[in-house]
Amino acid sequence: MINYILRRLLYVFPVLLGVNILTFVLFFVVNSPDDMARMQLGDKHVSQEAVDNWKVQRGYDLPLLWNEGVSGLSKAQETIFFKKSISLFLLDFGLSDSGRDILSDISQRMWPSLALAIPSLIVGLLVNITFALLLIFYRGSYLEYGGLFLCIALMSISGLFYIIAGQYLVGKLLVLTPISGYAPGTDAFKFIILPVLIGVVGGLGAGARWYRTLFLEESSRDYVRTAKAKGLSDLNVLFRHVLKNAMIPILTGIVVVLPLLFMGSLITESFFGIPGLGSYTIDAINRQDFAIVRSMVFLGSFLYIIGLLLTDLSYTLVDPRVRLD
Amino acid sequence: MLALLWSDILIFLLIGGLVLSAYFASKQEQTRRPWRKAFQSRVGTASFVVLLVFLLVGLLDSIHIKQSESLSPSSEEHTEVVLSVLDIFLTPLRTQIEKTYSAPFSSFAYAKEISLDGTGVSVWTAPRLSYGGAHLEHPQEEIFGDVLQRSLLGLLKGIAAWCVLLLVLAKGPNVVAFINRSVFRKTALYTLLGLLLIIFVTAELVGFYHILGTDKVGEDVLYQALKSVRTGLIIGSLTTLVMLPIAITLGLLAGFFRGWVDDAIQYIYTTLSSIPSVLLIAAAILMAQVYMANNPELFSSVAQRADMRLLLLCVILGLTSWTGLCRLLRAETLKIREMDYVQAAQALGVRKLTILKRHILPNVMHLVMITVVLDFSGLVLAEAVLSYINIGVDPSTYSWGNMINSARLEMAREPIVWWSLAASFIFMFGLVLAANLFADAVRDAFDPRSKH
């Protein structure tokens, strides 16, 4: 077990290095720092002086991979690749292009993201599973066909519409909750309700269908037939056998997204003005702040890989049939 | 004179490829059977017909022609403009431009302004539109009757067109038997009737009203929504064109050769899929923007630039989305390579590439098929989200994402401007719902595990 974890941890490094090199190529090789400076300064006829100035301020004035100007180890260290890319491994994100410390921004903004993401996940999960169980329970009836069509219809609506319609209906017409905004602490509650509700409705179609396939797969197993043959009621079979066994894929499916909850939701956060990491990223994209986008790419893949690792581990914990050696 | 954009050429190549592969598929029993099953389902057939109509709109919009057009009705000056065949069909929609917002079927502008009434007193009213309902003397009283009359005429024309079509198809008056021959025929023809009715009623009304209103600069919203069909189709289809070769080649190689090839390919897709896709797309598009901003001489016109950006978006989406299919194909190939017939081929000394091509590829095609149709609707929806973050298509391109993006601010106006949003909603919902229902039918038919 310990061996396995160690091996998996070692595998994380090459993947992160790959991500690192890829972002480095995207951000510094495809376009030179000079190009970025001109884009940021916004004019085609910017003087070379202004460009150089911009680069010095942000530390982009070093050579890309190899610094001939200095001696010894610092030939490799005094470079953009080392300072801007490798340093990400130590979670040293440096300064954003507008001069703020990215790490402190992230540690501040991840709490609102979590305040939105965790309730969305839990409520969404409960609603999706309940709906999927209902679909299974009424299998073969018109209720099931209606429910399945509803799922496909819900899936076919763009997430943007849910948000716009929800804000308009609940926030503007009914005035039940504020349209957007955020307050720290327990005051956050009234700002969170609407985005959570919209997130749950928007995810219902795809979610319920996914859980339904899980349950369908379980209910075609032999033990379900045996249970029914013993004379157990449908409801009993569903809850005591099918749901229990389907918990394994459900749990592992949740574990993989857990770390990514920190990243927040891009669209929802920016629509509702929640100062989380999602809206942070969107703002950075709109302002073309390359340092922040680069950091978020690295952070995102780091969390994703942690999620994969946790999934593998959770299999061994939940499912006694799986042994890792 | 034809003036095709790059995306036009690609989309016609794609259609050509589809027709060719449909032809080859129809010759082989093992591929014909699942398709026949897909078209035996009513939902599958109906959604397929709806998709075909969307495709027709997109294709008409993809034949661009250079034309000289007068700048204004009165002047003699002509300019060269590039129009698509769809633009020419929709000339009234395209040219009847109002001053600003107007509601659907309205004869009055959204914004009030000061004007002089008959007695020379200045009044604060919404002025009449220059085109919408301009033929009516007293719009408030007459509009209902007029719309009803024209709609009825449109309905009759639609029914007539359908009947003519039936007579031509059935080659004679034996129509009822012709319709009832198969489930496919019956469903397809009745769906077509519904669509024809909608099209003819719309066609009857568009010359006299702005059915879905006009936007901020007075452009007809229906025109915008129809033009956006092409963008949605291109994003949904060309992206898969980019993704398929990568996913198929790497997936088959990894599964078949195993060893270090497998390790390398697994490493590549784990790395790529570990980056949150929106961020990867954002990073790539940002970099492309920097490149385009610094090299403006590469593009001769705004349309070309927008077209390049659209294609670029497809390529980037394709490069970021092949990992899922690749993983599926690898797993399936691992299973198939242990099958007896593959082992036998290997024992007989068949070359490895031939085994891959002849024995393995045809047996994973159902997975490819299912993924392509399932991905299509997701990509159409993704376009809207990406355009909202400003990393989607060019702002000058007609797209549902851009329509939603600009309509977002209009929701705060009083009275609320809802029609741009409604139009993009209706069109997007129609296309995506049809695509999803069709995908479901295809999956049921191709999935060997389904029992129906």
Side-chain angles (χ1 to χ4, degrees):
Chain A
M1 182 80 176
I2 304 280
N3 243 334
Y4 176 79
I5 298 175
L6 278 179
R7 225 174 43 228
R8 286 301 312 250
L9 273 176
L10 283 180
Y11 189 61
V12 169
F13 267 98
V15 172
L16 281 182
L17 191 67
V19 172
N20 215 316
I21 291 171
L22 189 75
T23 44
F24 175 75
V25 169
L26 258 179
F27 281 92
F28 294 109
V29 181
V30 174
N31 291 290
S32 68
D34 278 44
D35 292 335
M36 286 200 298
R38 280 201 197 95
M39 175 90 182
Q40 283 279 324
L41 297 170
D43 200 336
K44 275 176 211 126
H45 311 290
V46 186
S47 68
Q48 188 57 37
E49 210 172 303
V51 170
D52 289 341
N53 211 355
W54 187 89
K55 278 163 45 184
V56 172
Q57 273 173 8
R58 287 158 188 79
Y60 294 146
D61 53 332
L62 299 166
L64 284 181
L65 280 173
W66 194 250
N67 195 343
E68 283 292 343
V70 288
S71 60
L73 248 187
S74 35
K75 266 188 199 297
Q77 277 178 356
E78 289 292 316
T79 58
I80 291 184
F81 183 63
F82 190 83
K83 291 243 154 139
K84 299 285 173 192
S85 275
I86 297 296
S87 60
L88 292 176
F89 276 107
L90 306 169
L91 292 185
D92 170 15
F93 296 117
L95 299 180
S96 72
D97 285 350
S98 53
R100 290 171 60 91
D101 183 31
I102 298 181
L103 188 62
S104 82
D105 272 355
I106 290 179
S107 55
Q108 256 174 34
R109 281 173 164 261
M110 80 191 201
W111 300 112
S113 280
L114 283 179
L116 174 61
I118 293 176
S120 300
L121 179 78
I122 296 172
V123 179
L125 195 69
L126 291 178
V127 172
N128 287 347
I129 290 182
T130 315
F131 198 78
L133 282 175
L134 281 175
L135 285 178
I136 297 279
F137 189 71
Y138 289 108
R139 214 163 137 194
S141 72
Y142 280 105
L143 268 178
E144 194 209 6
Y145 295 128
L148 281 178
F149 185 79
L150 182 72
C151 282
I152 294 192
L154 285 175
M155 276 167 68
S156 306
I157 297 173
S158 166
L160 298 174
F161 285 113
Y162 287 113
I163 299 177
I164 296 174
Q167 277 187 331
Y168 183 74
L169 265 180
V170 180
K172 201 172 168 195
L173 281 188
L174 303 174
V175 207
L176 293 177
T177 62
I179 293 181
S180 71
Y182 188 75
T186 46
D187 293 339
F189 186 66
K190 66 175 179 196
F191 291 103
I192 293 295
I193 298 178
L194 185 58
V196 168
L197 185 78
I198 289 172
V200 169
V201 175
L204 179 63
R209 262 164 64 103
W210 163 244
Y211 290 120
R212 176 177 167 269
T213 42
L214 286 185
F215 294 143
L216 270 185
E217 207 154 288
E218 278 310 315
S219 51
S220 61
R221 301 267 162 111
D222 286 344
Y223 68 82
V224 174
R225 200 177 40 194
T226 313
K228 277 188 182 156
K230 280 197 310 189
L232 256 64
S233 71
D234 278 357
L235 213 58
N236 245 331
V237 174
L238 205 57
F239 279 99
R240 298 253 301 265
H241 294 278
V242 174
L243 184 60
K244 227 176 188 173
N245 279 287
M247 276 326 257
I248 294 170
I250 292 176
L251 273 182
T252 46
I254 297 168
V255 170
V256 75
V257 297
L258 277 184
L260 281 174
L261 291 183
F262 283 98
M263 298 288 287
S265 149
L266 296 176
I267 304 296
T268 316
E269 282 183 18
S270 80
F271 257 105
F272 287 97
I274 292 167
L277 282 181
S279 55
Y280 187 56
T281 316
I282 295 262
D283 291 346
I285 293 172
N286 282 334
R287 271 187 287 122
Q288 309 203 313
D289 193 322
F290 303 106
I292 297 180
V293 177
R294 217 171 49 227
S295 311
M296 296 311 284
V297 167
F298 188 79
L299 187 67
S301 27
F302 180 70
L303 293 173
Y304 176 82
I305 295 171
I306 301 278
L308 285 186
L309 204 66
L310 289 178
T311 315
D312 283 354
L313 293 181
S314 66
Y315 265 119
T316 53
L317 296 178
V318 190
D319 191 343
R321 287 169 298 187
V322 177
R323 293 251 182 283
L324 300 173
D325 289 312
Chain B
M1 200 177 76
L2 275 181
L4 293 181
L5 295 167
W6 275 107
S7 52
D8 296 342
I9 299 170
L10 284 172
I11 209 166
F12 279 105
L13 281 179
L14 186 74
I15 297 293
L18 272 180
V19 171
L20 262 185
S21 49
Y23 172 73
F24 282 119
S26 70
K27 287 182 119 183
Q28 281 177 322
E29 178 58 26
Q30 79 263 28
T31 44
R32 209 165 52 195
R33 199 177 325 136
W35 278 116
R36 205 185 294 144
K37 205 164 128 192
F39 285 115
Q40 264 162 14
S41 99
R42 280 203 198 94
V43 180
T45 311
S47 49
F48 180 70
V49 174
V50 175
L51 282 180
L52 274 188
V53 171
F54 272 105
L55 186 68
L56 185 71
V57 173
L59 283 184
L60 285 180
D61 203 10
S62 296
I63 309 171
H64 285 94
I65 298 170
K66 218 178 241 174
Q67 255 200 350
S68 67
E69 193 173 71
S70 56
L71 282 173
S72 62
S74 52
S75 74
E76 289 290 302
E77 264 181 276
H78 286 261
T79 62
E80 288 262 286
V81 282
V82 175
L83 292 175
S84 72
V85 176
L86 185 77
D87 287 329
I88 296 167
F89 275 149
L90 299 178
T91 305
L93 280 181
R94 184 167 55 86
T95 51
Q96 298 184 352
I97 290 179
E98 308 289 348
K99 264 195 213 137
T100 178
Y101 294 117
S102 68
F105 286 111
S106 175
S107 310
F108 297 97
Y110 171 83
K112 290 187 175 171
E113 51 184 58
I114 294 175
S115 58
L116 297 178
D117 69 355
T119 55
V121 184
S122 59
V123 282
W124 178 246
T125 53
R128 285 291 295 270
L129 296 176
S130 17
Y131 299 100
H135 61 294
L136 301 175
E137 198 123 329
H138 303 287
Q140 266 115 344
E141 295 105 56
E142 295 169 31
I143 188 163
F144 183 73
D146 189 56
V147 169
L148 198 68
Q149 202 182 342
R150 285 177 199 283
S151 311
L152 279 177
L153 186 65
L155 285 180
L156 286 180
K157 279 189 183 171
I159 293 174
W162 188 65
C163 293
V164 172
L165 187 79
L166 272 186
L167 287 175
V168 172
L169 282 178
K171 294 190 191 109
N174 208 354
V175 172
V176 179
F178 175 77
I179 296 179
N180 287 332
R181 186 86 54 80
S182 64
V183 179
F184 169 71
R185 215 169 252 189
K186 207 168 154 183
T187 326
L189 285 170
Y190 282 126
T191 316
L192 200 63
L193 172 65
L195 290 169
L196 278 178
L197 291 183
I198 297 175
I199 291 169
F200 272 90
V201 170
T202 316
E204 204 57 42
L205 289 170
V206 283
F208 303 95
Y209 299 98
H210 296 289
I211 302 185
L212 293 171
T214 55
D215 79 338
K216 194 173 182 178
V217 292
E219 200 172 27
D220 195 285
V221 172
L222 178 64
Y223 175 69
Q224 294 178 337
L226 281 170
K227 290 287 279 182
S228 306
V229 171
R230 175 175 184 267
T231 313
L233 288 178
I234 284 188
I235 298 234
S237 56
L238 286 189
T239 301
T240 26
L241 197 68
V242 175
M243 160 203 123
L244 280 188
I246 311 176
I248 294 179
T249 321
L250 294 185
L252 289 190
L253 289 181
F256 188 71
F257 289 107
R258 300 197 288 195
W260 67 268
V261 180
D262 190 17
D263 288 341
I265 291 172
Q266 274 198 65
Y267 171 71
I268 295 173
Y269 75 59
T270 315
T271 307
L272 258 184
S273 62
S274 77
I275 303 177
S277 58
V278 179
L279 283 176
L280 188 55
I281 294 164
I285 289 279
L286 278 183
M287 289 304 121
Q289 271 175 359
V290 175
Y291 185 78
M292 282 178 162
N294 286 319
N295 298 286
E297 69 279 359
L298 290 178
F299 312 100
S300 57
S301 69
V302 180
Q304 266 188 7
R305 199 186 137 102
D307 189 57
M308 247 353 197
R309 179 149 169 190
L310 180 62
L311 286 183
L312 198 82
L313 185 67
C314 291
V315 172
I316 291 170
L317 280 170
L319 288 180
T320 53
S321 64
W322 57 271
T323 52
L325 179 62
C326 183
R327 189 173 296 167
L328 267 180
L329 289 179
R330 173 182 167 271
E332 192 68 16
T333 312
L334 277 175
K335 244 186 276 167
I336 292 178
R337 80 187 292 280
E338 303 300 330
M339 297 261 190
D340 287 343
Y341 61 90
V342 179
Q343 303 275 318
Q346 256 169 346
L348 284 170
V350 181
R351 277 178 38 224
K352 288 196 163 134
L353 281 181
T354 319
I355 296 184
L356 270 177
K357 210 174 81 188
R358 193 175 296 160
H359 298 293
I360 296 186
L361 185 62
N363 286 304
V364 296
M365 274 324 261
H366 68 279
L367 287 176
V368 177
M369 211 46 251
I370 294 171
T371 312
V372 168
V373 266
L374 275 181
D375 278 1
F376 176 83
S377 51
L379 286 166
V380 176
L381 291 179
E383 185 273 323
V385 172
L386 293 178
S387 296
Y388 167 72
I389 327 178
N390 287 330
I391 52 172
V393 294
D394 195 84
S396 70
T397 310
Y398 289 104
S399 87
W400 293 315
N402 282 339
M403 282 174 76
I404 299 173
N405 203 359
S406 50
R408 202 164 39 96
L409 298 172
E410 295 164 1
M411 293 293 285
R413 282 174 176 269
E414 200 62 51
I416 168 179
V417 177
W418 48 271
W419 42 91
S420 275
L421 202 68
S424 52
F425 173 78
I426 295 169
F427 275 81
M428 227 169 145
F429 185 64
L431 178 61
V432 176
L433 184 66
N436 273 335
L437 290 172
F438 184 62
D440 247 31
V442 169
R443 196 184 49 193
D444 281 348
F446 275 86
D447 194 348
R449 277 180 305 176
S450 74
K451 287 169 200 139
H452 303 293

